[in-house]
Amino acid sequence: MSHPRGPLSQLRRGHEELVLGLLRKHGPLSRGELGKRCGLSRTTLYDILAELVASGAVVTATSQEAPRGRGRPAETLTLNPDAGQAIGIDFARRALHVAAVNLAHEVVGSASEPHDADLPWEQRVELAVRLVGSLTGTGTGALRLGALDAIGVGVVGVVGSQHAGEEDRHAEEGRDQPEPHPAQVLLRERFGVPVLLDNNTRLAALGESIWGAAAGGQDVLYLRLSHGVGGGLVVGGSLHRGAYGLSGEFGHITVEPGGARCDCGGTGCLETVASIRAVLDAYRAAGGRAADVPELVKAVRAGDRAALTLLGGVGARIGEVLAALCNAIGPSVIVIGGELAETGEALVAPIERALRDHVMPVSRHRVSLRRATLGEVAGALGGIALVLHESPLLSRYPAGPDLAEDPIPDKESR
Amino acid sequence: MSHPRGPLSQLRRGHEELVLGLLRKHGPLSRGELGKRCGLSRTTLYDILAELVASGAVVTATSQEAPRGRGRPAETLTLNPDAGQAIGIDFARRALHVAAVNLAHEVVGSASEPHDADLPWEQRVELAVRLVGSLTGTGTGALRLGALDAIGVGVVGVVGSQHAGEEDRHAEEGRDQPEPHPAQVLLRERFGVPVLLDNNTRLAALGESIWGAAAGGQDVLYLRLSHGVGGGLVVGGSLHRGAYGLSGEFGHITVEPGGARCDCGGTGCLETVASIRAVLDAYRAAGGRAADVPELVKAVRAGDRAALTLLGGVGARIGEVLAALCNAIGPSVIVIGGELAETGEALVAPIERALRDHVMPVSRHRVSLRRATLGEVAGALGGIALVLHESPLLSRYPAGPDLAEDPIPDKESR
């Protein structure tokens, strides 16, 4: 199902997804039934069906219940249950995570593997192919990758709108085509399908909003407290990128004017207070001993006073920032992820207190604060969500409850 | 063009808008030409065309260049230039503003009238009808309201997603149908078309992003410094509402922990520092004399030291808040509106300085700070934009540059 991605193919892909959506909802349908329900002309529909069958996304079956005396038995069309629709890959700094869904949008598996931070892209992609193979090569849930729709990829760092989504789109829009990301080039060569790209922390936000702590949330703020402090916004159910792909840089909001120098070039950023290194350094400065987050978690669980006081202060800073963002953006759910969230209530309770204190009173009981639940595969799952969201069915046709009522045109189409 | 608003009519309206979009781009087209370009079945297309002609949105003409010897001269279809597509009405606290566009999306006029703050809704709507009449009743740009698609309305206060958009939609989604806003009920009775509703400050954000200071901006942050301090976000070209319609409450971000009590119930909110009253009070406390904003503007222009120092401090606070929001949301344009923006560079320069100081260095030269340009009709224009954005053509089909390349299906439709 790899097409050129012009406006024409956009419309075509919209039609394809309309047909797939009807088959997803109704199960097997004849060409005639599909024609009645989709409102497309016969020529367009048959053309679309031919391509869907050729790609392996749709399979044909001869109905047993066809009226015998009246010509050929009716052929029905159905989704190929073995066809993979999307793969998500998170190229994190020191590990690789993959996940896959089938055409019914069911997550059929995920896998992770750590690696050195300096592993070259060729080898990272090799590793990705191997991990994807582990999801698809064996077992009953095995996927046929021939019908793969697209791959969603998370990477570290700023991903502007010039990279985000699909690389081919830009030339058509008359913009300068940017250098594609090496992961895009290599994966596209390998799988022959579009490769959608975004920042992996933002993708984790999207993943948590669909399969994780904020499942079903349309307006979600995700904050990751890790080696860096960042996050992502889901707005109306879609990933928010901002004008230059710089959305979600919560870690660089000033919390201490004139404070410590930050890697971004600024001073007093939230990251200088709430990153793993900042917290461990402050803990040591307060006389505590913790080489890493698990040791800090241990100290917290043991009721260590210095650790609790420190996290109380850090949580208050985080909560103030979240309150400001809540007033501006109005999310229904805030998700706290990253390794530092493992410190649990010692951090989350002061965050919540400061959030309630500083958010507009009218919002106080509307926004819900939760810890992330997807762990390290959140980004890979977000990559899959990116693919599903780029699907014209989900983004441009009325989806979900609307489709459930069947877009049958007023009169029969020919 | 008033239909029931179910999923079926959503799809139907998408088809209507597809046809209108083709006529908008190409001018007169025959039924056959339209059929080739739109990819709809003949039955669906003819049905849609019949309704568009009946509503007055589209008119038929007999082409002079039709081949004589070969049957009837070809009838062409074209947009009715007199058909109004949308009206925007801003029910501000003490004034009413209206604006209208035709089917070509050209703003054909606007009008305003002040009134008492306690004017009942019935009389406000009467006033609105009269002002709309002044745009449509006379003159060469007169609109036929028969083809009106919808009315977009701005009101003061929180407008949640339960009110925003169209009132009929909710019952279909199986949610509790909320009490509709009186303006919705009365206008719907009067005009017989859908009435879309949103907060008028948010609508001003949308208006500025389409016709004003941020024209063409897809990611815009609008801050209004008036009796209240608020604003709105445009995200990917669409108005952002947030989960509970609470997006854009920038005035209630804490800037002085433990500071002055705010009307929202919090303390130290930006509004307690940067509203008209707050600024005038602070100016008087500093020994200045200004009964209102025009007098303050006069003092600023005269180089009054106290006024300049005060606005320098207020601007710094505003800039810090905007920097935090920039890092989180990544807009390309920030628009400063409201009466206090009339103080000009005395306020905008310190805002800009604090913004540059506190935004991530990588964003410093990417975001552009501008004063609003639409004045008091921004909200009414935003109401129109709301109608155009709710149009399935603009929101669900590929719009603009995509449509410009003609969505002709691969093969001819019958």
Side-chain angles (χ1 to χ4, degrees):
Chain A
M1 278 201 285
S2 165
H3 322 301
R5 317 306 300 178
L8 185 56
S9 78
Q10 276 274 13
L11 195 76
R12 189 193 175 84
R13 205 172 158 209
H15 293 156
E16 276 181 9
E17 288 285 344
L18 179 63
V19 169
L20 291 174
L22 288 167
L23 293 176
R24 194 172 290 133
K25 171 165 162 34
H26 293 282
L29 291 174
S30 70
R31 285 180 167 77
E33 288 163 336
L34 267 171
K36 282 182 205 166
R37 290 172 191 277
C38 70
L40 299 173
S41 72
R42 186 185 164 96
T43 315
T44 305
L45 175 63
Y46 276 46
D47 215 44
I48 298 273
L49 286 174
E51 177 139 356
L52 288 173
V53 169
S55 73
V58 166
V59 290
T60 58
T62 306
S63 170
Q64 297 302 321
E65 297 158 30
R68 295 240 161 198
R70 292 158 52 194
R72 291 187 303 170
E75 194 178 59
T76 60
L77 297 127
T78 183
L79 295 184
N80 181 353
D82 297 333
Q85 186 175 18
I87 285 174
I89 306 175
D90 179 358
F91 291 100
R93 215 178 283 281
R94 295 164 196 278
L96 208 136
H97 314 284
V98 303
V101 294
N102 63 18
L103 274 173
H105 295 172
E106 296 160 346
V107 176
V108 292
S110 64
S112 295
E113 195 161 312
H115 59 68
D116 287 344
D118 57 359
L119 192 70
W121 277 105
E122 286 74 12
Q123 291 178 45
R124 290 189 190 210
V125 168
E126 282 312 310
L127 180 54
V129 170
R130 188 157 60 71
L131 284 183
V132 167
S134 76
L135 302 182
T136 57
T138 57
T140 47
L143 290 177
R144 283 186 53 219
L145 290 181
L148 199 65
D149 214 37
I151 300 177
V153 167
V155 294
V156 172
V158 173
V159 178
S161 52
Q162 78 280 13
H163 278 304
E166 232 174 276
E167 69 268 41
D168 291 358
R169 185 185 298 160
H170 311 288
E172 288 156 7
E173 288 175 358
R175 292 195 234 140
D176 285 345
Q177 194 159 8
E179 202 69 23
H181 192 284
Q184 273 179 315
V185 177
L186 294 166
L187 286 168
R188 175 139 199 160
E189 276 172 21
R190 207 54 188 262
F191 291 99
V193 296
V195 178
L196 312 181
L197 194 80
D198 214 311
N199 170 277
N200 61 352
T201 303
R202 278 210 291 263
L203 288 183
L206 189 59
E208 290 285 351
S209 83
I210 293 178
W211 289 288
Q218 295 290 298
D219 293 274
V220 176
L221 191 160
Y222 169 79
L223 176 70
R224 177 181 262 170
L225 302 165
S226 180
H227 299 286
V229 173
L233 296 170
V234 172
V235 163
S238 294
L239 189 57
H240 179 250
R241 293 199 177 93
Y244 300 101
L246 289 164
S247 163
E249 294 288 355
F250 309 138
H252 302 292
I253 293 175
T254 308
V255 295
E256 289 191 333
R261 172 73 47 186
C262 178
D263 290 344
C264 77
T267 54
C269 298
L270 180 61
E271 188 166 294
T272 67
V273 172
S275 72
I276 289 177
R277 197 182 64 200
V279 169
L280 290 179
D281 284 354
Y283 183 51
R284 283 183 218 113
R289 282 171 166 227
D292 54 20
V293 176
E295 288 189 22
L296 179 66
V297 170
K298 211 175 285 176
V300 165
R301 290 197 181 142
D304 180 87
R305 182 62 44 193
L308 293 173
T309 305
L310 170 66
L311 291 177
V314 170
R317 284 297 162 80
I318 294 170
E320 287 161 24
V321 165
L322 292 177
L325 298 180
C326 262
N327 287 336
I329 304 163
S332 59
V333 185
I334 296 175
V335 178
I336 309 285
E339 293 90 327
L340 281 177
E342 301 299 321
T343 57
E345 281 305 295
L347 182 64
V348 174
I351 292 177
E352 180 131 27
R353 219 172 297 126
L355 172 64
R356 307 282 168 223
D357 280 355
H358 291 282
V359 82
M360 275 180 78
V362 66
S363 299
R364 223 166 255 165
H365 300 289
R366 290 187 169 162
V367 61
S368 156
L369 185 72
R370 301 178 196 163
R371 279 176 59 192
T373 61
L374 294 182
E376 60 183 12
V377 294
L381 287 170
I384 291 174
L386 189 65
V387 170
L388 302 183
H389 279 205
E390 293 273 327
S391 147
L393 177 66
L394 299 173
S395 62
R396 291 198 182 80
Y397 281 85
D402 286 336
L403 195 65
E405 305 208 13
D406 280 343
I408 305 176
D410 303 13
K411 293 173 188 172
E412 282 200 13
S413 308
R414 312 187 185 193
Chain B
M1 278 201 284
S2 166
H3 323 298
R5 317 305 299 178
L8 185 54
S9 79
Q10 275 275 16
L11 194 76
R12 189 192 175 84
R13 207 173 155 206
H15 292 159
E16 277 181 10
E17 288 285 343
L18 180 63
V19 169
L20 291 174
L22 288 168
L23 293 176
R24 194 172 289 133
K25 169 164 163 38
H26 293 283
L29 291 174
S30 71
R31 285 180 167 76
E33 287 164 336
L34 268 171
K36 281 184 207 167
R37 289 173 191 278
C38 70
L40 299 172
S41 73
R42 186 185 164 97
T43 316
T44 305
L45 174 63
Y46 276 45
D47 215 45
I48 297 273
L49 285 174
E51 176 138 357
L52 288 173
V53 169
S55 74
V58 165
V59 290
T60 58
T62 306
S63 170
Q64 297 302 322
E65 298 158 30
R68 296 240 159 193
R70 291 159 53 195
R72 292 187 304 172
E75 194 178 59
T76 60
L77 296 127
T78 180
L79 294 184
N80 180 353
D82 297 334
Q85 186 175 19
I87 286 174
I89 306 175
D90 179 359
F91 291 100
R93 216 177 281 280
R94 295 164 194 277
L96 208 137
H97 313 284
V98 303
V101 293
N102 62 20
L103 274 173
H105 295 172
E106 296 159 346
V107 177
V108 293
S110 65
S112 294
E113 195 162 307
H115 59 68
D116 287 345
D118 58 358
L119 191 72
W121 276 107
E122 285 74 12
Q123 292 179 44
R124 289 188 191 212
V125 168
E126 282 312 310
L127 180 56
V129 170
R130 188 157 59 71
L131 284 183
V132 168
S134 76
L135 301 182
T136 57
T138 58
T140 47
L143 289 178
R144 281 185 54 218
L145 290 181
L148 199 65
D149 213 37
I151 299 176
V153 168
V155 294
V156 173
V158 173
V159 178
S161 53
Q162 79 280 12
H163 278 304
E166 230 173 278
E167 69 269 43
D168 292 357
R169 186 185 298 158
H170 311 287
E172 289 157 7
E173 288 176 357
R175 291 195 235 142
D176 286 346
Q177 195 159 7
E179 202 69 23
H181 192 284
Q184 272 179 316
V185 177
L186 294 166
L187 285 169
R188 174 137 203 163
E189 275 171 24
R190 207 54 187 263
F191 291 98
V193 296
V195 178
L196 312 182
L197 194 80
D198 215 309
N199 171 277
N200 61 353
T201 305
R202 277 209 293 262
L203 288 183
L206 188 59
E208 291 285 351
S209 83
I210 293 179
W211 289 289
Q218 295 291 296
D219 293 274
V220 175
L221 190 159
Y222 169 80
L223 176 70
R224 176 182 261 171
L225 302 166
S226 181
H227 299 287
V229 173
L233 295 170
V234 172
V235 163
S238 294
L239 190 57
H240 179 248
R241 293 198 176 94
Y244 300 100
L246 289 165
S247 163
E249 295 288 356
F250 308 138
H252 302 291
I253 293 175
T254 307
V255 295
E256 289 191 332
R261 171 74 47 187
C262 178
D263 290 344
C264 78
T267 54
C269 298
L270 180 62
E271 188 166 295
T272 66
V273 171
S275 72
I276 289 177
R277 199 181 65 202
V279 168
L280 290 178
D281 284 355
Y283 184 50
R284 282 183 219 111
R289 282 171 163 225
D292 54 19
V293 175
E295 288 188 21
L296 179 66
V297 170
K298 210 175 287 177
V300 165
R301 290 198 181 140
D304 180 87
R305 182 63 44 193
L308 293 173
T309 303
L310 170 65
L311 292 177
V314 171
R317 284 296 163 80
I318 294 170
E320 287 161 23
V321 165
L322 292 176
L325 298 180
C326 262
N327 287 336
I329 304 164
S332 59
V333 185
I334 297 176
V335 178
I336 309 287
E339 293 89 327
L340 281 177
E342 301 299 321
T343 57
E345 281 306 295
L347 183 64
V348 175
I351 292 177
E352 180 130 26
R353 218 173 299 126
L355 172 64
R356 306 283 167 223
D357 281 355
H358 291 282
V359 80
M360 274 180 79
V362 67
S363 299
R364 224 167 254 165
H365 301 288
R366 290 187 169 162
V367 61
S368 156
L369 185 72
R370 302 178 195 163
R371 281 176 59 193
T373 61
L374 294 181
E376 61 183 12
V377 295
L381 288 170
I384 291 174
L386 190 64
V387 170
L388 301 183
H389 279 206
E390 293 275 326
S391 148
L393 177 65
L394 299 173
S395 62
R396 293 199 182 80
Y397 281 84
D402 286 336
L403 195 64
E405 306 208 14
D406 281 341
I408 306 176
D410 302 15
K411 292 174 189 172
E412 284 199 12
S413 307
R414 312 187 183 190

